Amino acid sequence: MIKVGIVGYGNLGRGAALAVKRSEDMECVGIFTRRDPEKISPETGDKTYPVSELKNFKGKIDVLLLCGGSATDLPETSAGYLKDFNTVDTFDTHAKIPEYLKKLDATAKENGTLGAISIGWDPGVFSLSRLLFGSVLPNGKDYTFWGKGVSQGHSDAIRRIKGVKDAVQFTVPIEDAVNSVRRGENPELSAAQKHLRECFVVAEDDADRAEIEKAIKEMPNYFADYNVTVTFVSEEELKEKRGKLPHGGFVIRSGETSDSTSMLLELSLKLDSNPEFTGSVLAAYARAVAKMAKEGKTGAITAFDIPFRYLSPLSYEEQVKTLL
Amino acid sequence: MIKVGIVGYGNLGRGAALAVKRSEDMECVGIFTRRDPEKISPETGDKTYPVSELKNFKGKIDVLLLCGGSATDLPETSAGYLKDFNTVDTFDTHAKIPEYLKKLDATAKENGTLGAISIGWDPGVFSLSRLLFGSVLPNGKDYTFWGKGVSQGHSDAIRRIKGVKDAVQFTVPIEDAVNSVRRGENPELSAAQKHLRECFVVAEDDADRAEIEKAIKEMPNYFADYNVTVTFVSEEELKEKRGKLPHGGFVIRSGETSDSTSMLLELSLKLDSNPEFTGSVLAAYARAVAKMAKEGKTGAITAFDIPFRYLSPLSYEEQVKTLL
């Protein structure tokens, strides 16, 4: 049994705990939280501890799943965890990944541990597709579309507007753009030409709805360049729309192997719950990290370094026989 | 520069030569053939040699791409090549892969070489998707659909019927079946419930067309269990239909991460030319084998053993920066 610890119990931590629970070759040693552990009752029945107790678990956990956020949690804490544990995280601040990787690699090598960074679906499964597709079809162009799904960052930005009680923002791929790519037309597309932003907002009773709509549509970086719709809804309607935080998207590579011989490679994900799927990917990579660490591998690595054979609970022989 | 040799110059060898030509970090040292090399003029301008001269190239080729067939060529010859060279092949007789892998692994380890087997799109890219999808979504079911595309085996089977001058068989995914899977209905489907077989036949002038149609539709294993259409066409029409041997398909995994939280993962390929794409995949794996061999790796391996970082001509830093 692979012994897993989970740090953080937000949406992602909850998804990771569910995934570990459903993995027959893993057990969750504990969920470690900065909140009062008494006040958390995981539906998986896992034990909860204050994160300060983690130090007592050195040697008793094969892999820690770091389920904090990329903005501050991971950059501030993951090197610390990596001193005592093998880790898997979802660090997704793209511009800072090289620096983060370098820093963790040094820590891990010093301490003889192994950390897999930027695991999930993007970065993660989508990154793997971009790398594979580009390698097997070098002469081409690739496109990543996100959605239809909830963007937490954009939802948060709306919630900060005065008069907004709650909000959820869906990123929606523009169908004409997707179809043009699928037809192999290789269009030049900005992020705004690929995606719509649909906003659902619960306003305070006395709020000026026209003002809120204007504030959203003119918000720089987040909305100003995009085609945006704003719909005011009740709290009940919002809850239903938000669901379990659905998401997904496509990676499409279109290219040719010789003149006018076209190829189209596409990966698509349709996820009822972004955090549950991300948690499930983390669990598979926890398995890989546990196995690779056992073989003596140390340092910080990405999905690009990990052969798929390590991800599966099946023996290699079984994989070759049934999946190759 | 990675020095590549190509053994065999059928459709696949031609596709591999095109792919190597288009790879800036590779050069083709030569195409080795059992035919008269004087009679082959590769459009890539590569030199051709009788396969018997290969022994003179030991130490001058980093990787050999074995472009022979799986029925007899590869099982009879690949262990021999592996004694002197690193290799990549497309062995696709699924039932015999474990035995083939074991045999080549022993040869490669004895001789300090590295051989990647069963590379291409199925086995290959599709196998990777099945393994990844099953690992990150363990609670689910997966489906492989092939087509729309030309099945060489089935086309050959039709050509052996008396009165048939030429023929091409398209394997076509049944849309209702694909849609049911995409809706997450997890249907139980036999190969025949997933695929139609469309046959285009050029008959000899004096042939009995009704007899040919009957012979096709009643042929055991190949057609008897399937929904089959037979259309008689002119040689010109057949040539156009055959094109550059288009193919493709989908790997779809449908499952859930918790009760009634569904996920749908799909990889799809749409290929104008099956041999050109397969050749292009071989070239990427030649790069990986060359790099891994240089690092000292020996034995026979599959796509499941190869981290994607080795497939790309980009440096790891560049991969992390631009694709992760």
Side-chain angles (χ1 to χ4, degrees):
Chain A
M1 292 293 268
I2 297 167
K3 292 183 186 68
V4 174
I6 295 171
V7 179
Y9 197 71
N11 286 320
L12 177 57
R14 185 186 155 276
L18 283 171
V20 170
K21 189 79 183 174
R22 288 186 164 221
S23 301
E24 287 175 14
D25 59 342
M26 294 188 188
E27 57 178 314
C28 180
V29 173
I31 293 168
F32 300 86
T33 173
R34 281 180 302 201
R35 289 182 279 167
D36 179 352
E38 297 293 323
K39 290 191 177 147
I40 296 173
S41 317
E43 61 203 290
T44 47
D46 293 319
K47 285 182 195 164
T48 57
Y49 300 94
V51 75
S52 57
E53 274 194 37
L54 197 48
K55 57 183 184 303
N56 304 324
F57 285 84
K58 192 174 171 174
K60 293 174 189 159
I61 287 175
D62 296 315
V63 191
L64 266 191
L65 302 184
L66 306 183
C67 297
S70 293
T72 53
D73 278 359
L74 293 172
E76 285 171 12
T77 63
S78 52
Y81 297 129
L82 203 45
K83 284 183 183 160
D84 296 325
F85 300 97
N86 303 312
T87 62
V88 180
D89 76 45
T90 61
F91 188 72
D92 67 356
T93 311
H94 278 87
K96 294 187 176 166
I97 289 176
E99 173 197 337
Y100 181 78
L101 179 64
K102 203 174 158 188
K103 180 182 159 193
L104 294 195
D105 190 51
T107 305
K109 282 186 175 141
E110 253 168 53
N111 294 279
T113 56
L114 181 64
I117 73 154
S118 303
I119 301 299
W121 62 272
D122 196 1
V125 176
F126 271 19
S127 322
L128 286 166
S129 301
R130 287 187 287 259
L131 178 53
L132 177 67
F133 290 176
S135 300
V136 298
L137 187 63
N139 206 308
K141 199 164 152 54
D142 56 39
Y143 298 85
T144 302
F145 289 91
W146 294 276
K148 180 178 179 172
V150 175
S151 163
Q152 298 279 35
H154 288 81
S155 301
D156 288 346
I158 300 172
R159 278 192 289 267
R160 285 191 292 265
I161 295 170
K162 197 181 151 238
V164 172
K165 207 167 174 179
D166 200 356
V168 62
Q169 193 260 202
F170 284 88
T171 304
V172 185
I174 295 174
E175 217 162 306
D176 284 349
V178 177
N179 289 336
S180 166
V181 170
R182 284 197 182 130
R183 280 193 303 267
E185 294 169 358
N186 291 342
E188 288 293 335
L189 296 170
S190 67
Q193 287 168 323
K194 289 194 292 180
H195 301 98
L196 295 178
R197 301 204 174 278
E198 282 182 358
C199 311
F200 297 94
V201 179
V202 181
E204 306 278 2
D205 286 344
D206 59 349
D208 181 336
R209 296 179 170 209
E211 272 302 310
I212 291 174
E213 180 161 348
K214 190 163 173 285
I216 295 173
K217 290 188 169 172
E218 294 179 353
M219 196 185 298
N221 302 320
Y222 284 84
F223 295 101
D225 301 330
Y226 286 80
N227 206 328
V228 177
T229 65
V230 177
T231 309
F232 290 92
V233 295
S234 68
E235 286 184 82
E236 195 53 43
E237 287 167 317
L238 193 78
K239 198 183 158 195
E240 197 186 308
K241 294 225 172 267
R242 181 180 284 138
K244 295 179 173 183
L245 300 169
H247 220 311
F250 323 91
V251 175
I252 306 177
R253 187 166 180 93
S254 156
E256 45 180 49
T257 49
S258 65
D259 290 346
S260 69
T261 306
S262 300
M263 309 283 163
L264 195 77
L265 322 180
E266 176 171 346
L267 174 86
S268 79
L269 303 179
K270 220 176 128 193
L271 314 171
D272 271 3
S273 166
N274 180 352
E276 286 189 21
F277 184 66
T278 304
S280 192
V281 177
L282 284 186
Y285 277 87
R287 180 179 294 120
V289 164
K291 291 185 198 170
M292 292 172 82
K294 217 172 177 177
E295 289 180 9
K297 177 95 182 161
T298 62
I301 59 177
T302 69
F304 297 167
D305 296 280
I306 301 173
F308 285 6
R309 64 179 293 177
Y310 290 108
L311 299 174
S312 169
L314 298 177
S315 72
Y316 183 64
E317 289 65 33
E318 200 63 22
Q319 292 172 22
V320 166
K321 205 174 144 187
T322 61
L323 298 168
L324 192 66
Chain B
M1 294 292 269
I2 298 168
K3 292 184 187 69
V4 174
I6 294 171
V7 180
Y9 197 70
N11 286 320
L12 177 57
R14 184 186 157 277
L18 283 171
V20 170
K21 189 78 182 177
R22 288 186 163 220
S23 301
E24 288 176 15
D25 59 342
M26 294 188 190
E27 57 177 313
C28 180
V29 172
I31 293 167
F32 299 86
T33 173
R34 281 180 303 201
R35 288 182 279 166
D36 180 352
E38 298 292 323
K39 291 190 178 149
I40 296 172
S41 316
E43 62 204 289
T44 47
D46 294 319
K47 285 182 195 163
T48 57
Y49 300 94
V51 74
S52 57
E53 275 194 37
L54 197 48
K55 58 183 184 300
N56 304 324
F57 285 83
K58 192 172 171 175
K60 293 173 188 159
I61 287 174
D62 296 315
V63 191
L64 267 191
L65 302 184
L66 307 183
C67 297
S70 293
T72 53
D73 278 359
L74 293 172
E76 285 171 12
T77 63
S78 52
Y81 297 129
L82 203 45
K83 284 183 183 161
D84 296 324
F85 300 96
N86 302 312
T87 62
V88 180
D89 75 45
T90 61
F91 189 71
D92 67 356
T93 311
H94 278 87
K96 294 188 176 165
I97 289 175
E99 172 197 339
Y100 181 78
L101 179 64
K102 203 174 158 187
K103 180 183 158 190
L104 294 196
D105 190 50
T107 305
K109 282 186 175 141
E110 252 169 54
N111 294 278
T113 56
L114 181 64
I117 74 155
S118 303
I119 300 299
W121 61 272
D122 196 1
V125 175
F126 271 19
S127 322
L128 286 166
S129 301
R130 286 186 288 259
L131 178 54
L132 177 66
F133 291 176
S135 300
V136 298
L137 188 61
N139 206 308
K141 198 164 153 53
D142 56 39
Y143 297 85
T144 301
F145 289 91
W146 294 276
K148 179 178 180 174
V150 176
S151 162
Q152 299 278 34
H154 288 80
S155 301
D156 289 346
I158 300 172
R159 278 193 289 267
R160 284 191 292 264
I161 295 170
K162 195 179 153 241
V164 171
K165 207 165 173 180
D166 200 356
V168 62
Q169 193 262 198
F170 284 89
T171 304
V172 186
I174 295 174
E175 218 162 304
D176 284 350
V178 176
N179 289 336
S180 166
V181 171
R182 285 198 182 128
R183 280 194 302 268
E185 294 169 358
N186 291 341
E188 288 293 335
L189 296 170
S190 67
Q193 286 168 324
K194 290 195 293 180
H195 302 98
L196 294 178
R197 301 204 172 278
E198 281 181 358
C199 310
F200 296 94
V201 179
V202 181
E204 305 278 3
D205 287 344
D206 59 349
D208 181 336
R209 296 178 170 209
E211 272 302 311
I212 291 174
E213 180 161 346
K214 189 164 175 280
I216 295 173
K217 291 187 168 171
E218 293 179 355
M219 196 185 299
N221 302 320
Y222 284 85
F223 295 100
D225 300 331
Y226 286 81
N227 204 328
V228 177
T229 65
V230 177
T231 308
F232 289 92
V233 295
S234 69
E235 285 183 82
E236 196 53 42
E237 287 167 317
L238 193 77
K239 198 183 158 193
E240 198 187 307
K241 293 225 171 266
R242 181 180 283 138
K244 295 179 173 184
L245 300 169
H247 219 312
F250 323 91
V251 174
I252 306 177
R253 187 166 180 93
S254 156
E256 45 180 50
T257 48
S258 65
D259 290 344
S260 69
T261 306
S262 300
M263 309 283 163
L264 195 77
L265 322 180
E266 176 170 346
L267 174 86
S268 79
L269 303 179
K270 221 176 127 191
L271 314 171
D272 271 3
S273 166
N274 180 352
E276 285 188 22
F277 184 66
T278 305
S280 192
V281 177
L282 284 186
Y285 278 87
R287 181 179 293 118
V289 164
K291 292 184 197 170
M292 292 172 82
K294 217 169 175 178
E295 290 179 9
K297 176 95 181 160
T298 63
I301 58 177
T302 70
F304 297 167
D305 297 281
I306 301 173
F308 286 6
R309 64 178 294 176
Y310 290 107
L311 299 175
S312 169
L314 299 176
S315 72
Y316 183 65
E317 289 65 32
E318 200 63 23
Q319 291 172 22
V320 167
K321 204 173 143 188
T322 61
L323 298 168
L324 192 65

